Amino acid sequence: LAKTTQPISMDSYEGQEVNITCSHNNIATNDYITWYQQFPSQGPRFIIQGYKTKVTNEVASLFIPADRKSSTLSLPRVSLSDTAVYYCLVGGTPGAGSYQLTFGKGTKLSVIP
Amino acid sequence: DTGVSQDPRHKITKRGQNVTFRCDPISEHNRLYWYRQTLGQGPEFLTYFQNEAQLEKSRLLSDRFSAERPKGSFSTLEIQRTEQGDSAMYLCASSTTGPTNEKLFFGSGTQLSVL
């Protein structure tokens, strides 16, 4: 199982772009990279998923370099409501169960007014 | 609302008592997961169902824990003879099979406090 490393915490001011980088040096060929967001007293919420290059949706962008040993979640113009814990997960062969996905401690993002 | 529903939201029990939690997944989802989360930690995988079959259990799962998913719909997680170390948030998630990597939809969890 691919292990991930991400910063424990980050602070940002409102309106700034936030980039959270996750390292996954032993990512396997079939592994996808998925990011979840979690607010206190709630379950994690899917943000974005990618395999290579760049993926963008209405919430965030995910940048994955060619070697796929890291990935960066980019949150444009954060607001106070983006204060949460962000988890980077690697794994999950297409069609297989996600039980292979391991949540680390995540990155606690604090947005400051 | 067609999201994942968990009941109860909070449960306080005394050590040694049995507790049962319920999870109603998104109706068309055939996969269901249970996770446990303690303060400051990420969710920890407990067990996984595809339809009614329990296909995977964490090695960390004590034999006091049992989960069922009759008829492949809702699921229950029972903890027998609760211990203070069982105090945690118990999360349920569901997903569906598909050609691409799946994404999990989580419920709001059941917060268990064992006194």
Side-chain angles (χ1 to χ4, degrees), chain B residues 11 16 35 39 41 48 57 67-68 74 76 78 88 91-92 94 107 109 111 113:
Chain B
K11 178 70 177 180
Y35 283 82
L39 196 62
Q41 305 295 317
Y48 154 68
K57 288 172 60 175
E68 294 181 343
F74 72 92
T76 58
E78 181 183 17
L91 293 162
C92 176
S94 70
Q111 182 66 52
S113 297

Side-chain angles (χ1 to χ4, degrees), chain A residues 17-38:
Chain A
E17 177 185 74
V18 171
N19 295 309
I20 306 174
T21 297
C22 179
S23 297
H24 29 81
N25 290 319
N26 59 340
I27 187 170
T29 302
N30 292 334
D31 286 344
Y32 278 71
I33 300 158
T34 311
W35 287 80
Y36 288 84
Q37 174 193 56
Q38 186 176 28

Side-chain angles (χ1 to χ4, degrees), chain A residues 36 38 49 92 95-96 98 104, chain B residues 9 31 33 37 42 101-102 104:
Chain A
Y36 288 84
Q38 186 176 28
Q49 183 179 85
S98 286
Chain B
R9 287 296 313 275
R31 295 181 174 179
Y33 304 79
Q37 185 174 28
N101 203 44
E102 63 188 312
L104 302 179

